[in-house]
Amino acid sequence: MTSRQWQPPRLRLFEDAHRRATWLELLYDLVFVVAVAELADVLAGGADLGRVLTFVGLFVPVWWAWAGYVFYANRFDTDDVSHRLLALPQILAVATMAASVGDIGERSGLFAISYVVARVLLIVAYVRVGRHVPEARPLTVRYAAGFTVAALIWLASLAVDPPQRYAFWAVALVIDLATPLLARRYQGKLPPQSEHLPERFGLFVVIVLGEVVAAVVIGLKGHDVTPGTLLIALAGVAIAMGFWWLYFGHIDESVVLRTQLAGQVWVYSHLPLSLGLVAFGIGIEHAIAHPSATSWSVGVPAALVLAVLGLQHLCSRDRRAGAIRLSAAALTLAASALPVAAALPLILLFGAAQVAYDLSRPLPEGAA
């Protein structure tokens, strides 16, 4: 092996080279296509409170496993042999997590162990960084410590049976999610690379938007295609296209560096955004099956998506667009009480009006 194939971790933040996602990162994303599809199947079985809580409770660690690798790669990715040997087993761990969510009652132990494996590999990566990149050591020590505590709680959950086990998971996830927030003082000295991070989060948005299309196809495949069901399906895809336009039409790469608070809010907001997009797709699938029902399963996720988009615009200091998104979210939530045939055209109208507004004004400074 040459020295180029085996490299110690290095800080990537201040390099002049233009960075885009590596082939390894794209392969890493591929397993999350499967994981998101399996999570969607959990919600597709019914919209009762238990299933919704199960869906959310499982989605969070899956998303955080993805985000953890993204944060690491943004700062320290060398794409050498040692980096790949730590990243590729994470793919196997996430694949095992995905295989567990469909029968979480029987496979909760497997899910927990798989998540711990993914996190331990990330912890090892941060420990290596602390050895080779002295200026990053204050941050990596705190990341490794917080993530280790959370991983130990996940392992401790194996000592009890569900549903008590899930209480351990909740505590561990709070620690996991809070660790970067508690290390904000040290993140300021190692800010994320602004061109790479928005691209990576944008790719995950593409993954969950693909799940919307998949849910529509499954809905049509499983039911008679009538003019009514076809219109519901087409409206669902059109609304998803509107979400795509509203998100990608104004990606503001500078937001991750504007302030620590704005950058972290922008990053963490992708969790409810992704949840809402997947749930919206499943809602359309339910609407195809029950076209005469009220549209809560469609309207509530759509309102969540619009509200998060509004919050992201506020982080970019685009107050007018943020206010419009939030107003559209409120109107969409109100429309959720209507039958599907009435609510979907209204939601589509709200989305189209926002796209038209965006097209009528110049792009904000720093937006793509």
Side-chain angles (χ1 to χ4, degrees):
M1 294 289 183
T2 67
S3 59
R4 184 177 180 182
Q5 291 172 309
W6 291 89
Q7 301 180 45
R10 71 176 188 272
L11 194 60
R12 300 293 308 274
L13 302 182
F14 308 110
E15 297 178 356
D16 294 331
H18 187 67
R19 280 189 69 188
R20 290 301 181 194
T22 65
W23 296 117
L24 177 59
E25 289 176 302
L26 296 178
L27 176 63
Y28 195 85
D29 287 353
L30 185 61
V31 71
F32 286 91
V33 176
V34 179
V36 169
E38 291 297 320
L39 288 165
D41 284 346
V42 172
L43 193 58
D48 58 278
L49 181 60
R51 283 189 178 273
V52 171
L53 292 177
T54 300
F55 166 71
V56 173
L58 295 175
F59 196 100
V60 174
V62 169
W63 181 84
W64 191 242
W66 175 86
Y69 174 74
V70 169
F71 295 144
Y72 173 86
N74 180 258
R75 290 184 171 96
F76 307 113
D77 179 12
T78 53
D79 199 24
D80 70 314
V81 172
S82 60
H83 175 81
R84 294 178 181 184
L85 290 177
L86 287 172
L88 291 173
Q90 291 183 49
I91 296 177
L92 300 178
V94 173
T96 308
M97 291 172 65
S100 306
V101 298
D103 189 14
I104 195 64
E106 296 295 327
R107 297 185 176 184
S108 59
L110 181 61
F111 183 89
I113 292 172
S114 303
Y115 181 76
V116 169
V117 169
R119 301 303 287 174
V120 166
L121 290 166
L122 183 64
I123 292 166
V124 171
Y126 275 120
V127 170
R128 291 184 70 235
V129 171
R131 291 182 56 194
H132 294 284
V133 187
E135 61 267 38
R137 193 169 299 143
L139 180 64
T140 59
V141 166
R142 284 158 179 82
Y143 275 11
F147 297 155
T148 297
V149 171
L152 291 174
I153 295 175
W154 276 90
L155 286 176
S157 74
L158 299 176
V160 297
D161 295 324
Q164 290 82 7
R165 178 173 293 170
Y166 306 143
F168 281 75
W169 293 8
V171 172
L173 284 173
V174 169
I175 296 172
D176 256 339
L177 292 166
T179 294
L181 299 176
L182 296 176
R184 287 177 59 193
R185 172 185 173 187
Y186 305 95
Q187 289 176 345
K189 299 178 182 179
L190 299 172
Q193 191 173 60
S194 59
E195 68 181 17
H196 178 259
L197 200 62
E199 181 193 34
R200 297 296 292 121
F201 278 89
L203 286 170
F204 197 87
V205 172
V206 169
I207 289 173
V208 293
L209 281 170
E211 187 54 39
V212 175
V213 178
V216 170
V217 171
I218 292 171
L220 285 177
K221 183 179 178 181
H223 300 85
D224 293 335
V225 179
T226 65
T229 57
L230 186 59
L231 286 174
I232 291 172
L234 293 176
V237 174
I239 293 169
M241 290 178 179
F243 291 151
W244 170 86
W245 197 305
L246 296 175
Y247 179 87
F248 288 100
H250 288 266
I251 289 185
D252 182 6
E253 293 182 348
S254 67
V255 69
V256 298
L257 298 178
R258 183 159 291 130
T259 67
Q260 287 187 36
L261 178 60
Q264 288 186 322
V265 170
W266 184 86
V267 165
Y268 280 81
S269 69
H270 283 79
L271 174 55
L273 177 67
S274 301
L275 275 166
L277 287 170
V278 175
F280 173 78
I282 300 303
I284 292 295
E285 184 179 343
H286 288 167
I288 292 172
H290 309 285
S292 60
T294 54
S295 52
W296 292 108
S297 63
V298 175
V300 172
L304 176 61
V305 170
L306 291 171
V308 173
L309 291 174
L311 178 62
Q312 291 182 348
H313 276 280
L314 293 178
C315 291
S316 297
R317 297 178 182 171
D318 190 351
R319 295 181 179 178
R320 179 174 296 180
I324 290 174
R325 301 285 189 268
L326 293 172
S327 298
L331 292 172
T332 299
L333 187 61
S336 301
L338 299 173
V340 170
L344 281 181
L346 286 175
I347 298 172
L348 181 57
L349 176 63
F350 300 151
Q354 293 176 81
V355 171
Y357 167 76
D358 287 356
L359 291 174
S360 69
R361 68 187 185 120
L363 288 173
E365 184 179 354

